[in-house]
Amino acid sequence: MAQTPQDLKIAILGAGMGGLTCALALAKEGFKHIDVYENAHDLGFVGAGIQLAPNMARVLDRLGVWKPIEAEAVNITSTSVRVGASDSELAHVPLEYIHDTYGYPHMVGHRSSLAGHLYQGCLQHPDQIRFHFATTASDTTFGPKSSFTATPRDHPEQAYRVEADVLLACDGIKSQSRVAMLDLLGIKAGVKDTHQAAYRIMIHKDQIKDDPELLELMNGNRVTRWIGEKRHIIAYPVSNNTIYNLSTTQPDTHFAAATNATYTTRGDKSVMLGVFGDFCPMVQRMLNYVPEGEVCEWKLRVHEPLPTWVHETVALVGDACHPTLPHLAQGAAQAIEDGGVIGAVLSKLPDTTPASIHKALKVYEKVRKDRAYAIVELAAASGRALHLGEGAAKEERDRQFAALRQGKGPVPDKWADADVQKELYGVDATKIALEQFDELFASV
């Protein structure tokens, strides 16, 4: 048995945002034996834009990687919600107050910047963190020492068994560890079809150098959301205002016959233009900048809530247990919160017995589970409000937007609502885990 908690052998499956944050948080707490297994050959995240909310920045700052991410990001000072067809403004919400209220601004950046600086942070601890790229994990077993089979993709004949004191499954919505855990516990919970899909688009500044209207958006500090029936587009500048990022949501028509394993498909530009064919000319111009052959569509799926994230010495993290729709821009932030809390609870272990490890992981679940699932549901509700067609509900939503313009009432786009922002940005999950650990540990 390990002599101290820092001597525990920790295996992390997946080097996404949750996995990288877990690894870095544990290294900062002095853990010496952290192995990260990643299916991809490297972390060459091409990705797209990502929102860097204050609750995410708070964790990253504690881990020492926020400053370089912030330096490459764009500070968002307002958001504008607009009618897709006419470009008329439904609401304008100033966001400068966020920094003063929550200690960090609301910024947006490139996913590769976020992942890259988390990875660079991990590389500062070469004696503690080891990466195993191009390695798949399968056949997870659960026990006092959990284990799995690691298979090098380029040399599958060299598969080997890995045993760990703590196994953190950060392997995404397709998590095989989750499947194995649910099967073992006899829990019926599967991936849920949201009937929504998304295009993710990056427009580079040199593409629009002769379009002053789009250059104004590129050079600004605003998040813009164009909404229509069952569809919307959210857009903002990233990478020091050199790239304009667009993310759409629309009804899923291309994955209907696909298996649950299918999450992306090569899209058709003319089809994409048709989906938003009734949106305003400026949106049409933006979509037209996408090169032929570079249209890719993502299926948006979530998962039924799980009764537990923990079994024995294994914990599910991030999209493995709480994938969410993008309408609150909290998917990566919630995985990063998970990682911060994992580092906190394992650092507080009173001893290295499997029973104590299990209890510490249950403290992680207690701190994170209700909050994460509340955010998942709130994101779904915000999407429903944005996508209303003609009728009484849309009329009420638009009345709320009109009242907002007079400085009254809530924002139907929950991402921009001050009360919702308080719930998202005002909670310090890592601090809660540290301050309430003893009480929660005794109760599980």
Side-chain angles (χ1 to χ4, degrees), residues 107-389:
M107 305 193 80
V108 291
H110 198 290
R111 182 174 290 269
S112 64
S113 174
L114 174 59
H117 287 297
L118 272 168
Y119 181 53
Q120 289 301 315
C122 290
L123 294 182
Q124 299 303 308
H125 302 272
D127 295 334
Q128 298 165 265
I129 305 173
R130 287 157 297 281
F131 285 91
H132 308 262
F133 289 107
T135 302
T136 62
S138 59
D139 302 321
T140 302
T141 63
F142 303 79
K145 284 188 180 291
S146 297
S147 64
F148 62 95
T149 297
T151 304
R153 288 175 57 188
D154 298 332
H155 299 282
E157 73 283 358
Q158 296 177 10
Y160 54 99
R161 200 75 189 159
V162 176
E163 189 177 77
D165 298 303
V166 183
L167 178 57
L168 303 174
C170 310
D171 46 348
I173 193 170
K174 298 182 185 180
S175 172
Q176 292 303 302
S177 302
R178 179 189 66 236
V179 172
M181 182 186 290
L182 298 184
D183 284 350
L184 182 64
L185 297 176
I187 296 169
K188 301 294 184 185
V191 174
K192 290 170 62 176
D193 191 344
T194 68
H195 306 290
Q196 297 177 57
Y199 296 113
R200 290 172 183 149
I201 298 160
M202 306 289 277
I203 300 172
H204 292 262
K205 200 166 193 173
D206 59 356
Q207 292 178 267
I208 60 169
K209 61 182 184 298
D210 298 321
D211 191 323
E213 197 174 23
L214 296 187
L215 276 174
E216 184 179 359
L217 291 175
M218 174 80 77
N219 293 327
N221 294 79
R222 188 179 81 188
V223 168
T224 305
R225 199 190 296 266
W226 290 274
I227 65 175
E229 183 175 357
K230 298 182 180 179
R231 297 156 296 153
H232 79 260
I233 296 172
I234 187 167
Y236 46 82
V238 299
S239 300
N240 299 128
N241 300 87
T242 61
I243 297 173
Y244 200 62
N245 176 80
L246 295 89
S247 180
T248 77
T249 302
Q250 64 273 349
D252 164 34
T253 58
H254 302 116
F255 296 88
T259 67
N260 272 359
T262 303
Y263 285 75
T264 63
T265 186
R266 180 65 62 188
D268 182 289
K269 183 174 178 177
S270 63
V271 172
M272 178 185 69
L273 291 170
V275 169
F276 295 95
D278 61 341
F279 274 39
C280 65
M282 183 168 64
V283 168
Q284 296 290 318
R285 290 205 313 280
M286 284 192 287
L287 298 179
N288 257 306
Y289 281 113
V290 181
E292 294 285 354
E294 291 189 17
V295 176
C296 197
E297 190 171 19
W298 277 258
K299 173 69 179 174
L300 298 180
R301 288 191 172 103
V302 294
H303 200 282
E304 292 171 354
L306 307 179
T308 184
W309 294 357
V310 174
H311 184 56
E312 299 281 3
T313 56
V314 179
L316 305 177
V317 177
D319 280 356
C321 48
H322 53 80
T324 183
L325 288 170
H327 309 320
L328 288 181
Q330 277 286 305
Q334 290 305 298
I336 286 169
E337 278 194 17
D338 287 351
V341 171
I342 289 280
V345 299
L346 292 180
S347 77
K348 300 280 282 184
L349 275 169
D351 56 62
T352 59
T353 63
S356 289
I357 292 169
H358 175 75
K359 289 179 70 174
L361 293 176
K362 291 299 284 187
V363 172
Y364 149 70
E365 181 187 288
K366 271 190 169 292
V367 172
R368 292 291 302 127
K369 184 162 165 281
D370 288 350
R371 170 170 164 79
Y373 283 150
I375 289 170
V376 169
E377 178 49 40
L378 195 57
S382 189
R384 290 191 292 270
L386 292 172
H387 296 165
L388 290 171

Side-chain angles (χ1 to χ4, degrees), residues 48-71:
I50 191 166
Q51 299 202 32
L52 308 169
N55 57 314
M56 176 199 289
R58 192 175 294 120
V59 179
L60 298 172
D61 201 16
R62 281 200 185 103
L63 299 181
V65 296
W66 171 242
K67 290 302 181 187
I69 294 167
E70 181 184 31

